[in-house]
Amino acid sequence: MSRKLINKLIVGGLIALALVLIWGQASTYLRRPANTEKHSYLAIPQAAHSAEKGRLRRALSPTGFSGSAILVENNQIVDSYTAGVEDNESGKNNRLTTAYEIDSLQKSLTAGLVMTLVNRHEIALTDHLNQYITGIPGSAEVTIRQLLDMTSGLSLPKLSYKGDSLPRTQYLKILRRNVKFQPQKYGKWNYQPVNYVLLSMILEKVTGDSYQQLFAERYTGKLKLQQTVFATDTTGYDVARGYRLKKQGNMVKQVLQQPNMATVESELGTGQVYMSAPDYYKVLSKLLNGALLGKQTTQSLYRPINFAQVRYHGGLYTEKQSFYGANGYGYGFEDHVRISPDGKKAFVVFSNLQGNRSNQPSLRQVVDKLTNQYFNVGK
């Protein structure tokens, strides 16, 4: 056998061996389950010592709480409490890094995206809805400001959605057929999520990007959030599954809630995002303190000229002097946030168990009581 042939065989064997090793590593990677450890970083620091330690456990445990909760002071977690499991099947415990469906708490983040375009002079609060979306009743009268404050007079009856998708064009046709404009409610506050669905469609129309792209750029990427993901794709994240308490005979059972994807997509800008409690606090605090919008824009969003007449601005209830708040319910989740106007102090509660047993206090009652104590309401 010639030396030349021997050299060729050696080189060929080395190449074959290298390919085998490479494929072995690749196939191992492909088989490897999603690594959720990369999402274990908390968005805000935890205080080493705090007089608040144990406060949340004492308050929330009597409710049969399942979820994650934090108390924040000066942008640090001063107390936290987690209980229950992410998923009844796996039995994996809820943790501070667990992401929950935030439901209506997403509206405050949608408002932040809208005000970003206002800052860029791409839209104005005085613009009318029909400048961007036509065919909606009352769109010539309704302004972007009124959509943000839910004083538009628009409403949408509860609809059922079926299937694995809800294309924007189809959804817009549904809105044009079903949205109602009530002149008697125009200029008056009326909680209607469709206001924020329309705002989200305006965002997409003006920028040419999807809502998800805008959210990822402005929040997830910019603030380096690690436990924030859209409900349309939660692969690789520790996300809780939502359960609703339901009475069956003499027993109360936890029933898993599994909305179809069309229903999820109908919640455009109003309830499509999973976040951990620290991730959500980080975003909202930076919206309130001006870090994301600037002081002047923040003031115009949450404390406009007419704020005394309207108790809701930019996705938050703003009538209290010591704190703003929001609540979210749906798909087996219950969420609450109470936060000081400067964003430094907060109480965030995310639960993946909706409803309460008759012999236990409701989560909302406990949240309201602790809120009054923590923010010194009435003192």
Side-chain angles (χ1 to χ4, degrees):
M1 187 179 291
S2 68
R3 181 177 294 277
K4 194 172 190 179
L5 181 57
I6 292 172
N7 288 339
K8 283 184 178 180
L9 289 172
I10 293 172
V11 171
L14 290 174
I15 292 173
L17 178 61
L19 288 172
V20 168
L21 290 173
I22 291 171
W23 172 247
Q25 289 178 338
S27 61
T28 299
Y29 174 78
L30 291 171
R31 291 193 304 267
R32 188 182 301 151
N35 179 16
T36 56
E37 292 304 315
K38 65 182 178 181
H39 303 300
S40 62
Y41 170 78
L42 288 182
I44 55 174
Q46 291 181 280
H49 305 286
S50 169
E52 301 291 348
K53 294 289 185 183
R55 188 171 187 173
L56 288 172
R57 178 185 294 276
R58 292 191 296 272
L60 295 174
S61 59
T63 70
F65 181 68
S66 176
S68 304
I70 58 173
L71 285 178
V72 178
E73 184 75 49
N74 292 321
N75 306 113
Q76 286 190 322
I77 297 172
V78 293
D79 190 27
S80 64
Y81 177 54
T82 61
V85 296
E86 294 179 350
D87 180 348
N88 286 350
E89 291 182 12
S90 69
K92 190 173 185 179
N93 290 334
N94 284 321
R95 297 174 292 169
L96 280 187
T97 53
T98 299
Y100 302 82
E101 166 69 77
I102 67 172
D103 294 316
S104 291
L105 271 60
Q106 185 182 341
K107 293 181 178 70
S108 59
L109 310 189
T110 298
L113 295 178
V114 171
M115 297 307 289
T116 298
L117 295 194
V118 172
N119 272 348
R120 295 174 182 170
H121 305 290
E122 295 182 46
I123 61 175
L125 293 176
T126 53
D127 288 348
H128 290 87
L129 175 57
N130 68 347
Q131 293 176 234
Y132 306 99
I133 300 174
T134 59
I136 302 294
S139 59
E141 285 103 321
V142 173
T143 65
I144 288 177
R145 172 88 256 181
Q146 289 171 324
L147 292 173
L148 285 167
D149 295 347
M150 295 200 184
T151 58
S152 65
L154 299 178
S155 63
L156 179 68
K158 188 172 180 60
L159 302 174
S160 295
Y161 302 90
K162 297 180 181 180
D164 296 327
S165 67
L166 183 63
R168 291 288 190 272
T169 52
Q170 179 185 343
Y171 195 17
L172 186 53
K173 288 179 181 178
I174 292 172
L175 295 179
R176 284 171 173 154
R177 287 197 305 266
N178 292 280
V179 169
K180 300 183 187 308
F181 175 62
Q182 298 172 283
Q184 69 273 21
K185 292 187 177 180
Y186 179 74
K188 299 177 181 178
W189 183 78
N190 181 31
Y191 188 88
Q192 292 289 334
V194 69
N195 289 282
Y196 277 72
V197 172
L198 292 168
L199 284 169
S200 300
M201 287 187 172
I202 290 172
L203 287 169
E204 293 185 332
K205 180 76 176 292
V206 172
T207 63
D209 292 328
S210 70
Y211 179 96
Q212 189 165 344
Q213 287 174 312
L214 295 170
F215 191 101
E217 175 192 344
R218 189 63 176 165
Y219 298 138
T220 313
K222 187 179 181 68
L223 300 180
K224 297 180 173 57
L225 306 178
Q226 293 195 5
Q227 297 111 32
T228 296
V229 61
F230 273 72
T232 48
D233 183 12
T234 57
T235 304
Y237 289 81
D238 279 330
V239 297
R241 303 180 80 182
Y243 295 85
R244 183 185 288 274
L245 288 173
K246 187 175 182 180
K247 189 172 183 179
Q248 296 180 348
N250 295 325
M251 299 181 63
V252 177
K253 294 187 176 181
Q254 296 181 13
V255 180
L256 178 64
Q257 304 297 291
Q258 295 179 293
N260 60 52
M261 201 52 62
T263 299
V264 171
E265 291 182 357
S266 75
E267 296 272 12
L268 177 63
T270 70
Q272 296 177 313
V273 174
Y274 282 74
M275 302 181 79
S276 67
D279 269 16
Y280 180 75
Y281 166 76
K282 185 174 185 177
V283 179
L284 188 58
S285 65
K286 288 186 177 297
L287 285 172
L288 287 168
N289 67 22
L292 287 173
L293 298 174
K295 296 288 187 182
Q296 185 174 348
T297 300
T298 299
Q299 175 76 16
S300 70
L301 176 60
Y302 300 111
R303 279 286 190 263
I305 295 173
N306 72 332
F307 91 93
Q309 289 77 43
V310 180
R311 64 187 187 120
Y312 183 95
H313 298 99
L316 298 174
Y317 293 95
T318 58
E319 75 271 23
K320 303 289 186 183
Q321 291 296 317
S322 56
F323 67 88
Y324 300 156
N327 311 293
Y329 304 89
Y331 311 126
F333 294 91
E334 181 176 344
D335 313 299
H336 304 281
V337 62
R338 307 290 185 263
I339 187 166
S340 60
D342 62 6
K344 291 182 179 180
K345 186 172 185 173
F347 174 25
V348 183
V349 182
F350 288 170
S351 172
N352 64 327
L353 186 58
Q354 193 177 358
N356 62 290
R357 295 177 175 86
S358 58
N359 61 341
Q360 294 172 329
S362 73
L363 180 57
R364 176 64 185 269
Q365 289 173 327
V366 171
V367 166
D368 288 343
K369 181 179 180 180
L370 186 52
T371 295
N372 290 336
Q373 295 169 352
Y374 193 53
F375 289 92
N376 298 314
V377 176
K379 293 183 180 181

